[in-house]
Every structure is written in C-alpha cells, then in structure tokens.
Amino acid sequence: MAKVSPLMLAPPLIFGAFVLLAAVGMFREDPQSLPSAREGQPAPALVMTEFPGAPGFDDATLRDGEVKLVNFWASWCAPCRAEHPSLEKLAAEGIPIYGVNYKDKVENAQGFLDELGNPFRALGRDEQGRTGLDWGVYGVPETYVIKGDGTIVLRFAGPITSRVIDSTIRPALEKAAQ
C-alpha cells in the first residue's frame, strides 16, 4: 500500500479554510460595512492646523452638547465631490458638520469649496494624516456621527448619498440625540 505524506493533506485543508472564510464573509449581516473600533468610544484628540479664512474647531467643540457630523474629505477625492451635495443638504437642514481636510493642499481645498460651496460649520487641516490615523480613517470620505458628549455613534466610510442619509445617517443622528 502506498504511503500518504502529510504534505498531501495541505492543499485540501487550505482550500477548505478558504471556502469557510469566504462563506463567513458572504453571510455576515452587512458585507459592505466596515466595523469601527471607535464606535461607542470618545472621539480621539484633534491635532490639526488652521484652515485659512475658516473658523476652526477642537476637542471642546466635539463635547459641546450638540450632535454633529465630522467629515474627513479632500479635493483630490472623487467620491468627496459626489457626496458634497448631500453634505450641503444636511447643512441646510441645520445639522452641524465639521470638516477635516485630509492630506490636501490648502489652495486645492479652497478651490474645491469655492466651486461646490462650504457645508462646514468649521474646518481644520490634517496635512500629515495623524488625526485621520488616530480616528481610524483609511480613506476619504469618511463621516462620523458624534454625540454631544463627544462619543462616536457611527463611522460611515464612503460617500454619503440620499439613500445613506435616510438608511444610516438619520437613524444614527436620532440615536445620538437620545
């Protein structure tokens, strides 16, 4: 009888592990969502530089008792351009939105806002990406719903659309207001 090498079992075991991992990923509750370790925790410290000609904000602003959005964006980001009308809509409804310009040149960022409008109550610049790293940002746009005490209620990665406002952002804002 032929001797079976333990190495012959490796390919089927590796294939089986891959199938199991794929099945778990496909059947989780929302395969598009990216979990955030920051949800339910206080917002990390803001280490930003001034955005010329715009009011700034800081950690105290995040803990001022008001529910708000913090949006990481950049002029070089095509999805940021796509989500901009949705941010304008939310700002027009009176929802405070604080903008963090992420790894961008100030003149490009200012041109972006001059062209599309400025939905932000206040702005800061994260030139090196340190604040984004602390917040868990892996790409822009990313938007956080913040409770009045500075606790992160929701992290939404990707552009905000009308559908996202209705299905995700508004429920998170209502939860944060409670």
Side-chain angles (χ1 to χ4, degrees):
M1 180 166 204
K3 189 173 178 185
V4 177
S5 168
L7 290 177
M8 291 178 66
L9 297 175
L13 289 175
I14 292 170
F15 179 74
F18 173 73
V19 168
L20 181 65
L21 184 64
V24 168
M26 286 175 41
F27 295 110
R28 65 185 181 152
E29 191 172 314
D30 183 2
Q32 300 299 319
S33 72
L34 295 167
S36 174
R38 295 279 182 207
E39 287 179 13
Q41 296 182 0
L46 292 167
V47 181
M48 301 183 298
T49 56
E50 174 187 347
F51 195 101
F57 66 105
D58 58 14
D59 295 328
T61 306
L62 299 182
R63 292 157 179 80
D64 65 1
E66 187 175 43
V67 175
K68 63 194 62 64
L69 300 178
V70 174
N71 179 261
F72 285 78
W73 64 281
S75 65
W76 46 261
C77 162
C80 295
R81 184 172 288 272
E83 89 167 348
H84 206 78
S86 296
L87 294 178
E88 292 265 311
K89 176 182 173 186
L90 289 168
E93 293 174 13
I95 297 169
I97 305 172
Y98 294 86
V100 179
N101 184 238
Y102 184 74
K103 294 184 177 182
D104 206 353
K105 294 182 179 172
V106 70
E107 56 274 4
N108 294 345
Q110 187 61 58
F112 180 94
L113 295 176
D114 290 345
E115 177 187 344
L116 299 176
N118 184 353
F120 303 111
R121 182 173 285 184
L123 287 162
R125 297 183 60 230
D126 186 13
E127 297 172 277
Q128 304 302 315
R130 289 290 318 155
T131 295
L133 183 65
D134 292 342
W135 281 61
V137 172
Y138 79 95
V140 288
E142 285 195 22
T143 303
Y144 294 80
V145 175
I146 310 292
K147 271 176 94 167
D149 66 359
T151 302
I152 295 174
V153 174
L154 172 78
R155 168 189 174 227
F156 184 81
I160 294 175
T161 62
S162 293
R163 186 177 57 140
V164 169
I165 289 173
D166 293 336
S167 67
T168 307
I169 301 297
R170 287 198 199 287
L173 288 168
E174 290 170 11
K175 180 180 176 185
Q178 296 175 352

